[in-house]
Amino acid sequence: MNHPLLQSIAAASIARISTFGVQNLSNTAWAYARLRVDKSEPLMAAISSSSLSRISAFDPQSLANTSWSCARFCFGDQTLLNAIAAESIRTLRQFAVQNLTNTAWAFAPLSVCNVTPLMDAISAESLSRMCEFDSQHLGNTAWAVATLQLHNSEPLMHAIA
């Protein structure tokens, strides 16, 4: 991996972040998280700042990818995560199963905001679509619920079992 190149791209992205569309913001966060690029906190902070005013324009995949990126980097920006959670709850019925499970997986280790309303909404949506879940979706969702130790998760855990 060419770290100097990735750092140069990050610096250029930060300088131009206000021109990024929501998909560009999400894709950049995802790419750097996927590669586990060191010293990406300034880029993630810029993405976070730019995303907040436009969070309602994020589609389900962008919401899921951005939250997943935060989890991969342990980037616990509570304001961004609360905004993602609220927008996710609002649009959850539009989420693909992969987006549901990735969002649950992402919020579980971060523990920086009250995830109960989000996880309650994800649980309800998951229960109604359980027949669409494959083994990875089931495992990721079960792990997230178990990690968060949610008190009202019995119906979802029974359905997964």
Side-chain angles (χ1 to χ4, degrees):
M1 186 167 17
N2 188 333
H3 288 284
L5 175 62
L6 291 169
Q7 293 305 322
S8 293
I9 292 170
S13 295
I14 291 167
R16 296 182 183 103
I17 203 82
S18 64
T19 67
F20 280 29
V22 295
Q23 186 173 356
N24 304 124
L25 293 167
S26 173
N27 287 353
T28 302
W30 180 87
Y32 274 70
R34 179 72 178 93
L35 293 171
R36 294 185 187 240
V37 177
D38 293 336
K39 302 177 185 169
S40 293
E41 187 157 321
L43 177 61
M44 287 300 292
I47 289 170
S48 174
S49 178
S50 189
S51 297
L52 286 171
S53 64
R54 301 185 271 170
I55 202 74
S56 64
F58 276 57
D59 65 14
Q61 186 168 353
S62 295
L63 292 166
N65 286 352
T66 303
S67 61
W68 181 87
S69 301
C70 289
R72 285 286 292 240
F73 279 126
C74 297
F75 183 75
D77 183 324
Q78 186 163 353
T79 305
L80 175 62
L81 293 169
N82 283 333
I84 290 171
E87 188 61 22
S88 294
I89 291 169
R90 193 180 74 73
T91 60
L92 215 52
R93 291 182 185 232
Q94 299 168 23
F95 276 45
V97 170
Q98 184 74 41
N99 303 142
L100 286 172
T101 61
N102 284 356
T103 302
W105 181 92
F107 274 84
L110 291 170
S111 301
V112 295
C113 63
N114 178 9
V115 298
T116 302
L118 174 62
M119 290 304 297
D120 286 349
I122 288 174
S123 292
E125 187 65 22
S126 297
L127 282 168
S128 72
R129 297 169 58 189
M130 192 58 57
C131 63
E132 299 173 44
F133 280 50
D134 65 20
S135 60
Q136 183 173 1
H137 300 136
L138 294 169
N140 286 350
T141 304
W143 178 85
V145 169
T147 298
L148 290 167
Q149 299 178 357
L150 300 175
H151 299 291
N152 52 352
S153 63
E154 292 84 17
L156 179 59
M157 293 302 274
H158 278 15
I160 290 172

